[in-house]
Amino acid sequence: MQDQHAWSGRFSEPVSELVKKYTASVNFDQRLAEFDIQGSLAHANMLNKTGVLSTDDLNAIQRGMAEIQAEIRSGQFNWSVDLEDVHMNIEQRLTSKIGDAGKRLHTGRSRNDQVATDIRLWLRAQIDSIVLLLAQLQNSLLNLASKHADTVMPGFTHLQVAQPVTFGHHLLAYVEMLARDSERMQDCRKRVNRLPLGSAALAGTTFPIDRHYTAQLLGFDDICHNSLDAVSDRDFAIEFSAAGSLVMVHLSRLSEELILWMSPRIGFIDIADRFCTGSSIMPQKKNPDVPELVRGKSGRVIGHLVSLITLMKAQPLAYNKDNQEDKEPLFDTVDTLIDTLRIYSEMIQGITVKPAAMRAAVLQGFATATDLADYLVKKGVPFRDSHEIVARAVRYAEQQSIDIADLPLTKLSEFSSLIEEDVFAVLTPEGSLSQRDHAGGTAPNQVRLQIAKHLTRLKG
Ligand code: ARG
């Protein structure tokens, strides 16, 4: 049988092959099939409840859709580009199976509210997966952090050694970022989880419908309250992409650090071989491919955000075909996020930490200079003066190629007579860390406290 367009009665000639290919979305939107069926079944149920659709028709639709679902799942469904998109492919197949009941399914509905519903159902499920994966990654980071609550490493500003921190504290910074990412995803979900169906093409429908019933059947928290807005805006997808871009930006920052830390020049960590590759020419190479790709893929996710927001910006109300372009960026954003989060959790578990290299780097960078300045302030020296005193001590130590902690007390007291034997307790990295014992500080105590809080949050 020749596929016939639902609107063929209006047209005097079929579209050209080129136009058909250009306008069809079935090659990518077939991914929405399960959600399209779910939405159709809820719509049919609602129409039956309000007396628009007979129970016989409803039963036939349910039976036909069950068969179609099985065909799709087993890969036997014959997708046709002549039928443009997932919606018309499924509807046509339904009609070929059950006749007129299939043709009645589209009563009080349009593809405009249908596709908006499908995307929301699909995205809601993806957000739930992403939130779980974000929790897994946080757990991996917390697990590593708990082993390194006391491990000293240099904290950097401007990529110059600044002050000692613990490796655990450093990792917790990323846990904080990912926790906010998860909050953003869950917050975005609230606005995704609203029902467009019932808006029909743009103005609503003349049939008696019960949108709250459909919303309830589909697990939506609410309905979209304006039919024009419901079929046309994709702000929820843009918002999701922005949240997704931030996830990727956070992981890109961590990737950059992993790459630096793994460089033999720094050597703070090693990444398990299964996440790295060698070089085809240089036998000594072990390259951190996975973090490099994450850093690279952050670019494409940010690109999708720009695509989606640009797609929306000049569209008049209500639905325009432009919106068909929302799918590929959104799908690729989700795929990239899910793959990245999965691989990242595993990669974090495969990290070997080299505390000796981290400690050596702290000792080379005058990382406790601020601690010496603070020490003098506590003895009554104004901070600006103590800063100057310590700067001179650092300059001297640098000329001698030693750390300030290694200067003898006789030498140190030449810079200030207030410097006494007890200074060495603050000049060691451990002394520096333990003094920053306040909420949000890097003292091992605080790090352990934060880890416990995060673990409780993730269990809750
Ligand atoms: N494939 C279309 C999309 O993704 C479905 C809606 C088509 N609506 C229309 N009036 N042409 O947006």
Side-chain angles (χ1 to χ4, degrees):
M1 191 188 78
Q2 184 67 35
D3 290 327
Q4 269 244 314
H5 260 305
W7 53 80
S8 50
R10 164 77 176 75
F11 289 84
S12 58
E13 58 174 7
V15 293
S16 76
E17 279 304 310
L18 191 59
V19 172
K20 198 191 287 172
K21 263 182 64 187
Y22 196 74
T23 55
S25 54
V26 66
N27 286 335
F28 50 87
D29 69 12
Q30 56 182 265
R31 193 168 165 166
L32 297 172
E34 298 266 343
F35 300 92
D36 194 66
I37 292 172
Q38 204 186 328
S40 289
L41 290 175
H43 180 67
N45 260 299
M46 182 278 291
L47 290 179
N48 175 247
K49 178 171 176 277
T50 60
V52 177
L53 194 73
S54 74
T55 301
D56 280 352
D57 283 348
L58 173 62
N59 289 339
I61 289 170
Q62 287 169 334
R63 184 169 32 84
M65 285 299 200
E67 288 175 22
I68 291 172
Q69 188 160 47
E71 288 170 11
I72 293 171
R73 285 187 183 167
S74 65
Q76 279 160 354
F77 192 91
N78 181 24
W79 296 103
S80 160
V81 78
D82 289 319
L83 290 167
E84 203 176 301
D85 58 22
V86 59
H87 323 293
M88 292 200 294
N89 268 270
I90 291 177
E91 191 188 314
Q92 174 99 356
R93 182 79 186 124
L94 184 68
T95 299
S96 79
K97 282 177 180 290
I98 65 168
D100 283 355
K103 295 188 195 163
R104 291 200 183 97
L105 171 62
H106 213 53
T107 311
R109 178 176 85 165
S110 145
R111 278 186 299 153
N112 297 351
D113 58 346
Q114 188 178 355
V115 70
T117 303
D118 292 6
I119 291 266
R120 285 170 184 262
L121 286 171
W122 176 84
L123 188 55
R124 180 179 72 186
Q126 309 311 313
I127 290 175
D128 292 344
S129 304
I130 289 167
V131 167
L132 279 177
L133 289 168
L134 281 167
Q136 266 173 32
L137 177 52
Q138 289 176 70
N139 273 315
S140 297
L141 288 165
L142 286 168
N143 186 33
L144 188 60
S146 68
K147 291 180 192 143
H148 295 283
D150 303 274
T151 303
V152 180
M153 74 176 277
F156 297 89
T157 60
H158 313 272
L159 213 51
Q160 312 290 317
V161 171
Q163 292 173 353
V165 295
T166 67
F167 187 52
H169 191 58
H170 195 110
L171 293 172
L172 286 183
Y174 287 99
V175 174
E176 292 282 336
M177 293 178 224
L178 294 169
R180 289 195 298 277
D181 287 331
S182 181
E183 277 176 31
R184 263 186 288 273
M185 287 288 171
Q186 290 173 70
D187 195 63
C188 164
R189 188 190 193 279
K190 294 181 201 156
R191 285 171 293 280
V192 169
N193 202 28
R194 290 175 195 169
L195 176 81
L197 267 182
S199 303
L202 75 163
T205 175
T206 58
F207 294 97
I209 55 171
D210 182 347
R211 299 186 61 206
H212 289 283
Y213 183 64
T214 315
Q216 189 195 323
L217 290 178
L218 291 172
F220 283 113
D221 296 328
D222 199 356
I223 61 167
C224 301
H225 294 281
N226 179 291
S227 61
L228 297 164
D229 174 47
V231 292
S232 62
D233 205 349
R234 296 291 183 266
D235 59 353
F236 63 91
I238 296 170
E239 195 181 329
F240 168 80
S241 298
S245 294
L246 279 170
V247 172
M248 290 304 290
V249 164
H250 290 150
L251 295 182
S252 180
R253 295 181 69 189
L254 179 53
S255 296
E256 172 70 7
E257 302 212 277
L258 297 179
I259 293 163
L260 281 169
W261 295 342
M262 197 182 127
S263 146
R265 275 300 178 104
I266 297 179
F268 287 178
I269 61 160
D270 201 9
I271 297 177
D273 285 0
R274 63 185 179 281
F275 299 99
C276 301
T277 62
S279 157
S280 56
I281 173 167
M282 296 165 282
Q284 85 284 12
K285 288 297 283 293
K286 178 177 159 186
N287 299 327
D289 291 45
V290 170
E292 286 173 43
L293 271 174
V294 171
R295 193 174 56 186
K297 282 176 192 285
S298 64
R300 75 199 255 171
V301 172
I302 294 166
H304 294 325
L305 167 62
V306 175
S307 298
L308 288 173
I309 201 161
T310 310
L311 174 68
M312 206 67 244
K313 94 173 192 36
Q315 284 194 52
L317 288 175
Y319 176 87
N320 302 280
K321 186 80 167 182
D322 311 39
N323 275 342
Q324 182 165 288
E325 286 289 307
D326 65 353
K327 289 170 201 64
E328 287 161 294
L330 200 53
F331 292 163
D332 190 66
T333 297
V334 164
D335 291 343
T336 307
L337 276 173
I338 287 182
D339 288 351
T340 302
L341 287 167
R342 275 206 190 121
I343 204 163
Y344 230 95
S345 286
E346 281 187 36
M347 185 175 64
I348 293 297
Q349 290 164 34
I351 282 180
T352 312
V353 179
K354 300 175 175 172
M358 290 182 175
R359 195 163 206 288
V362 171
L363 296 178
Q364 274 162 24
F366 303 103
T368 55
T370 317
D371 296 274
L372 179 54
D374 288 354
Y375 168 90
L376 287 170
V377 168
K378 285 172 195 158
K379 295 206 170 188
V381 181
F383 185 78
R384 280 290 156 235
D385 295 338
S386 77
H387 185 282
E388 179 59 26
I389 292 166
V390 177
R392 275 189 265 124
V394 166
R395 190 155 149 215
Y396 176 79
E398 196 172 32
Q399 282 160 0
Q400 307 297 309
S401 301
I402 52 172
D403 191 58
I404 29 176
D406 296 328
L407 291 173
L409 184 58
T410 47
K411 189 73 222 172
L412 280 170
S413 57
E414 279 177 27
F415 296 99
S416 166
S417 57
L418 292 168
I419 298 178
E420 294 167 297
E421 188 59 40
D422 59 352
V423 74
F424 293 105
V426 307
L427 285 184
T428 60
E430 287 73 15
S432 169
L433 291 176
S434 67
Q435 297 205 79
R436 289 167 165 75
D437 192 2
H438 55 78
T442 193
N445 266 343
Q446 294 294 332
V447 173
R448 272 187 277 271
L449 240 150
Q450 287 299 323
I451 292 171
K453 276 192 199 166
H454 283 299
L455 288 173
T456 311
R457 169 178 60 81
L458 287 166
K459 269 188 212 122

